[in-house]
Amino acid sequence: MEYFEDLTVGDTREFGAYEVTREEITSFAGRYDPQPFHTDEDAAEESMFGGLVASGWHTAAMTMRLLVEHQLSGSGAMGALGVDSLRWPTPVYPGDTLSVRTEVAERDVWDEDRGRVAIEVTTTTQADQTVLSMIGQVLWRRR
Amino acid sequence: MEYFEDLTVGDTREFGAYEVTREEITSFAGRYDPQPFHTDEDAAEESMFGGLVASGWHTAAMTMRLLVEHQLSGSGAMGALGVDSLRWPTPVYPGDTLSVRTEVAERDVWDEDRGRVAIEVTTTTQADQTVLSMIGQVLWRRR
């Protein structure tokens, strides 16, 4: 179990990959973000994206899947207060493969049992395009 | 079509509702956020939430569904740059019904074709608990 005390500012990790399919993009968007540039190829070509792109919330969800699988699972992470400065600098297209880099940016004691850890998260494609960046504010179990 | 020029700082809207089921919570989390307090009732009871709760990303996705359906669809919204100050002050439990309030907080010209609109979004339950707040940074078509 990785406790709050085991984390140091500057710790970095890199992991992935998550392969993004057209079917998953339109299925997620059909339910949660039914804007035409996420659900309809023809409308997407007319949009500022020039083609079908994943919902930014879908990109965040896929990023979370990689975070849980490779960093949070089995750790002392107890849940998040929120996220700061979430940005989608370039969109995710069908066929992209995502990977994630994290860096511990801040850590301080929250209460008797928990610490707060600010983690910078960057999600990139196979072509090293950044598709998401954010700072997660996570509560972490103290030893 | 609602253009950038039709929006005024201070404009507010309220809409909903979205009924949250246990099945949807565990299904979303099983794919995108498989932490035990989102997927496993027994483990969730031992967690700081005291029971099964929706992934924060799921709460954001359900909020987005309401935003698209009631505000963005058919408007000049062209996509988002990102989101600031995303917070999940209380969790979403199975059986909750979500509604959303928006307020235009800032608007300025981005380029020849587009404006940037900062929209404060607040998602609440039937018991008026705030489960999500954020500021969306949206690009909006100019007339």
Side-chain angles (χ1 to χ4, degrees):
Chain A
M1 167 80 88
E2 185 179 54
Y3 289 94
F4 173 69
E5 289 79 3
D6 302 320
L7 299 171
T8 305
V9 170
D11 286 349
T12 63
R13 296 214 199 162
E14 290 189 54
F15 42 82
Y18 193 111
E19 294 183 20
V20 187
T21 65
R22 180 175 307 268
E23 291 65 38
E24 191 179 333
I25 287 176
T26 55
S27 159
F28 184 101
R31 177 143 197 122
Y32 295 116
D33 190 351
Q35 300 185 87
F37 37 87
H38 299 316
T39 58
D40 176 353
E41 188 71 58
D42 293 338
E45 279 170 21
E46 303 293 306
S47 78
M48 70 177 182
F49 304 114
L52 197 74
V53 295
S55 166
W57 298 111
H58 188 197
T59 303
M62 294 186 284
T63 297
M64 190 62 188
R65 172 64 192 235
L66 290 173
L67 283 168
V68 172
E69 214 169 330
H70 297 278
Q71 182 152 17
L72 302 179
S73 177
S75 80
M78 300 173 76
L81 298 162
V83 164
D84 290 311
S85 305
L86 172 59
R87 288 294 178 275
W88 299 292
T90 54
V92 171
Y93 293 91
D96 280 349
T97 301
L98 308 183
S99 59
V100 169
R101 181 182 185 279
T102 65
E103 177 167 349
V104 176
E106 297 170 17
R107 62 187 289 289
D108 48 47
V109 170
W110 183 259
D111 60 17
E112 218 171 281
D113 305 318
R114 300 175 295 183
R116 178 191 67 93
V117 181
I119 302 186
E120 286 179 11
V121 178
T122 311
T123 308
T124 53
T125 66
Q126 71 287 347
D128 208 30
Q129 289 279 323
T130 296
V131 292
L132 179 148
S133 60
M134 63 179 174
I135 302 166
Q137 304 288 352
V138 183
L139 293 180
W140 216 284
R141 199 180 302 277
R142 297 178 65 186
R143 184 169 272 119
Chain B
M1 167 80 87
E2 185 180 53
Y3 290 94
F4 173 70
E5 288 78 3
D6 301 321
L7 300 172
T8 305
V9 170
D11 285 350
T12 63
R13 296 214 198 161
E14 289 189 54
F15 42 82
Y18 193 111
E19 295 184 21
V20 187
T21 66
R22 180 175 307 269
E23 292 65 38
E24 190 179 332
I25 288 176
T26 55
S27 159
F28 184 100
R31 176 142 198 124
Y32 295 116
D33 190 351
Q35 300 185 87
F37 37 87
H38 300 317
T39 58
D40 175 354
E41 188 71 59
D42 294 337
E45 279 171 20
E46 303 293 307
S47 78
M48 69 177 184
F49 304 113
L52 197 74
V53 296
S55 165
W57 298 111
H58 188 196
T59 303
M62 294 185 286
T63 298
M64 190 62 190
R65 172 64 192 234
L66 291 173
L67 283 168
V68 172
E69 214 169 331
H70 297 278
Q71 183 152 16
L72 302 179
S73 177
S75 80
M78 300 173 75
L81 298 162
V83 164
D84 290 311
S85 306
L86 172 57
R87 288 293 178 276
W88 299 291
T90 55
V92 171
Y93 292 92
D96 279 349
T97 301
L98 308 183
S99 59
V100 168
R101 182 181 185 280
T102 65
E103 178 168 348
V104 175
E106 297 169 19
R107 62 187 288 290
D108 48 46
V109 170
W110 183 258
D111 60 18
E112 218 172 281
D113 305 319
R114 302 176 294 182
R116 178 192 66 94
V117 181
I119 301 185
E120 287 180 11
V121 177
T122 311
T123 310
T124 53
T125 67
Q126 69 288 347
D128 208 30
Q129 290 278 323
T130 298
V131 292
L132 179 148
S133 60
M134 63 180 176
I135 302 166
Q137 304 287 354
V138 183
L139 292 181
W140 217 286
R141 199 180 303 276
R142 298 176 65 186
R143 182 170 274 119

